[in-house]
Every structure is written in C-alpha cells, then in structure tokens.
Amino acid sequence: MNLTYYGHSCFGVEVNGKYLLFDPFISQNPLAKNIEIEKIPADYILISHAHGDHVFDVETIASRTNAKIISNYEIVSYYEKKGLKGHGMNFGGIWQFDFGKVTYVLAVHSSQFPDGAFGGNPGGFIVESNEGNFYFAGDTALTMDMKLIGIRYKLDFALLPIGSNFTMDYFDAATCAEFIGCDKIIGIHYDTFPPIKIDHQKAIDEFGRNGKELLLMKIGETIAM
Ligand code: NI
Ligand code: MN
C-alpha cells in the first residue's frame, strides 16, 4: 500500500488497485499549495465529518473522478442531493467494498457543513484488506472506546490527530496508540492553523517513550506502508 500525504487530514492510499482519498482539504490549505489537486486520483472519497477543513475539495474531486463517497448517512445524503454518488454508513457498521472492508467508528467531535447543514455525527474509519489494515481517527478526543478497536482489529498503522485545540494532542494520541495496539502512527491535523502548531521533535519523543513510532510526513510525500 502506497500512502501519500496531502496535508492536514488529507491523504490517499492505494488498496487493491483502488485509490482511497480521505478528507480532501487542499485548495484552501496554504501549506498544500504545491499539490496539484487536478492530478489527485480517487475511486472512493472517505469523509470523517462535515467541517470545512475535511470536505472543502470533495465536490471538485468527486465530480472530476466520479468517485464514490463513503461517510455517515447524513453526509452521503448531502452529496447525493448534489448529484454525487455515495455509500452511507453509521457507527459500528461494516461494509465489504471491492478494495476491502470498511468500519465506521466513533469520534468525539462535532460535524456541521460550512453552509450550516447537519453533517450527522463525526467518525473515523478502519480499512481492512489483504494488503494491510489501518485506522483513520478523523477529528477526535481520546476515548476509552478506542480500546475496543485494539480488541477486534490488528492494525498495521494508524493516522491520528495530534494538534490539540480541536482534537486530542500528541500526549493523548500516544495513549490512543497504546489503546489500539498500533506501533506505527502517522500524525495528522497539526501545523495547518496557528492554534494547532506543534513541536515536531517533542511529539516524536512522546511516542518514542511508549515504544511507538510517529511519522510526520512531508506534504506531497509518498511512502510504502
Ligand atoms: Ni473538525
Ligand atoms: Mn478538523
């Protein structure tokens, strides 16, 4: 599985020949100005919640690529009314797609579209496939419920918010890594705005104390997972 980081909480993963794009927020992210949005592929767009910094480029990319949107029922309905296609889910639900299996899991946050429309409840995703398993937490606080993920799933890596203010900070994210039983974490949702700027080395050291690896990818960088 190749993973490309597009900044903030946006990344793409190729799974079984399908391109999964998560939380597209590129054109409004000054840190991602070198990303050519019209070149980003997408067979599926997975959306954790409806805040602008997670959905801003959904319509542009979905219209161009004809990608199927995977999210909670309310977010999918919102886009279906605009003529886009999707697959709505809700918490605890699992669906087998052609690339692998997706579970929609809890996130403790909020979810409202920039135009004020209701965005359902915020979530995260677990993707399982014969190429590997990963967890994308979306925007969330640390919760004890994350232990349930560690009980059921064997994760190869996870993408966790670490920027604080709007989500958990890197201390709580390091605890989350323990709860979910995952040693390899990719940090997301940091540095984009002044309230979520972090000290990279301190964050990496905090995970290291627990024997975990925190990767802070360059925007535009692709790594094999
Ligand atoms: Ni949010
Ligand atoms: Mn956010």
Side-chain angles (χ1 to χ4, degrees), residues 133-145:
N133 305 332
F134 64 94
Y135 167 48
F136 164 55
D139 281 6
T140 184
L142 176 67
T143 75
M144 290 297 280
D145 287 332

Side-chain angles (χ1 to χ4, degrees), residues 84-148:
L84 301 173
K85 59 180 184 180
H87 179 96
M89 300 182 71
N90 216 324
F91 294 134
I94 303 176
W95 188 252
Q96 179 75 50
F97 292 90
D98 55 1
F99 58 84
K101 226 162 40 168
V102 173
T103 309
Y104 191 61
V105 296
L106 296 175
V108 173
H109 193 66
S110 56
S111 183
Q112 184 183 37
F113 281 99
D115 65 6
F118 180 53
N121 292 306
F125 297 98
I126 291 161
V127 176
E128 293 174 281
S129 81
N130 55 347
E131 297 187 348
N133 305 332
F134 64 94
Y135 167 48
F136 164 55
D139 281 6
T140 184
L142 176 67
T143 75
M144 290 297 280
D145 287 332
M146 288 164 172
K147 287 194 173 184
L148 298 174

Side-chain angles (χ1 to χ4, degrees), residues 8 48-54 109-111 122 139 166-167 189:
H8 201 51
S48 64
H49 66 294
H51 287 157
D53 59 320
H54 299 259
H109 193 66
S110 56
S111 183
D139 281 6
F166 304 112
T167 67
H189 216 275

